[in-house]
Amino acid sequence: MRQVQVSQPGGPEVLKIAEAPVPTPGEGEVLIKVQAAGVNRADISQRQGRYALRPGMPSILGLEVAGTIAGLGPGVTRWKEGDDICALLTGGGYAEYVVTPAPQCLPVPKGVSVIEAASLPETFFTVWLDVFDLCHLRSGESLLVHGGSSGIGITAIQLAHTLGSRVFVTAGSQAKCEACTALGAEAAIDYRSTDFEEAIQNLTTGRGVDVILDMVGGSYTIKNIRSLAPLGRLVFINFMESSRGEIDIALVMGRQLTITGSGLRPQTVERKGQIAEKLEKIAWPLIEGAKIKPVIDTVYTLEQVAEAHRRMESSAHIGKILLRM
Ligand SMILES: NC(=O)c1ccc[n+]([C@@H]2O[C@H](COP(=O)([O-])OP(=O)(O)OC[C@H]3O[C@@H](n4cnc5c(N)ncnc54)[C@H](OP(=O)(O)O)[C@@H]3O)[C@@H](O)[C@H]2O)c1
């Protein structure tokens, strides 16, 4: 089979297509014939050599795919050969075949193509883990999402809005802001022209928001803390500006704030399986009912993988970037 290999840490030009053996599914795993793979920000860091892979994590890029079950390891009962599925991976998705634990697979939602389904797993698992599991966002509460037009952002907006929350976002251009409000954000703040802290104070008449999903860190940290309502929760999923930030302990105590964060990839198969069950029960019917839709920016071929990475690094995209096998 063909797969994309990182010949050495560096720019998009280090991505090379190479031949490799088709993997064999182990106990509890499925073999997937991949139709499309999602491109994620973590793939960029990994290609640059800035992502510390833990033992057992594949070195091949690719955290999510959609395709057809082509083989079953011992003990798999839920799926059969020929089923169309989308799946969360710990790596290996930039390839024609990949194996993953069966609990990390979900059916392709009705009304969504197999290619489009490759855009779903990484962001839905992440948003569920961070916004709903860790921060317990409830209907009627408010959510601020930074990077509103990112793959993560478009999923967070749609899930939270559809489940009854007021959603505010920040994004880096007017076009990105418009895309976010079209997906259900009540207000989108162009952070290049408007101070988001001041905007959130105005939008919430000084109360602040209940939950903030942050991937920026750095200078956003103290502004996030000042933007939280009493009993507010702040969750970090990355620190694209800096992993260092300022915290005002008096505010954390006074407002009884919770500050948390997580990485999806190192979670156990069991935890990922639990999230998959929640998604299938709660989010998949919303996709099938067209209340939530995949937002695809561009689909590239496997040969165009370097171009796909360049587009993501340009941050010009809105929504997800995919690779078609
Ligand atoms: N912890 C986890 O488990 C987990 C899982 C998945 C993703 N993530 C993280 O979530 C974030 C979004 O992921 P994604 O794959 O959806 O990425 P993406 O589509 O590439 O979106 C990232 C967006 O963030 C915005 N941004 C804000 N500050 C930035 C900065 N300093 N540098 C670069 N971009 C900046 C950019 O849009 P603007 O024009 O609006 O600035 C950019 O388009 C990434 O940081 C990723 O690592 C974490």
Side-chain angles (χ1 to χ4, degrees), residues 224-239:
N224 280 332
I225 287 181
R226 289 195 297 247
S227 300
L228 281 171
L231 296 171
R233 291 86 77 195
L234 166 63
V235 62
F236 293 109
I237 58 169
N238 199 358
F239 40 87

Side-chain angles (χ1 to χ4, degrees), residues 41 122 126 150-152 172 176 191 237-238 240 262 264 317:
R41 206 82 190 183
E122 178 70 11
T126 301
S150 66
I152 290 287
K176 287 184 171 186
Y191 67 84
I237 58 169
N238 199 358
M240 288 191 289
S262 84
L264 176 64
H317 63 290

Side-chain angles (χ1 to χ4, degrees), residues 66-117:
T68 308
I69 301 271
L72 302 173
V76 177
T77 51
R78 162 91 202 253
W79 307 105
K80 59 180 190 321
E81 280 186 34
D83 284 347
D84 286 338
I85 48 102
C86 55
L88 184 73
L89 315 171
T90 45
Y94 288 18
E96 288 175 330
Y97 289 88
V98 69
V99 292
T100 199
Q104 293 176 203
C105 299
L106 282 159
V108 171
K110 289 184 201 75
V112 170
S113 73
V114 180
I115 301 280
E116 289 173 321

Side-chain angles (χ1 to χ4, degrees), residues 24-40:
T24 307
E27 175 86 32
E29 290 182 335
V30 297
L31 173 69
I32 304 165
K33 183 174 192 320
V34 178
Q35 284 197 36
V39 175
N40 289 282

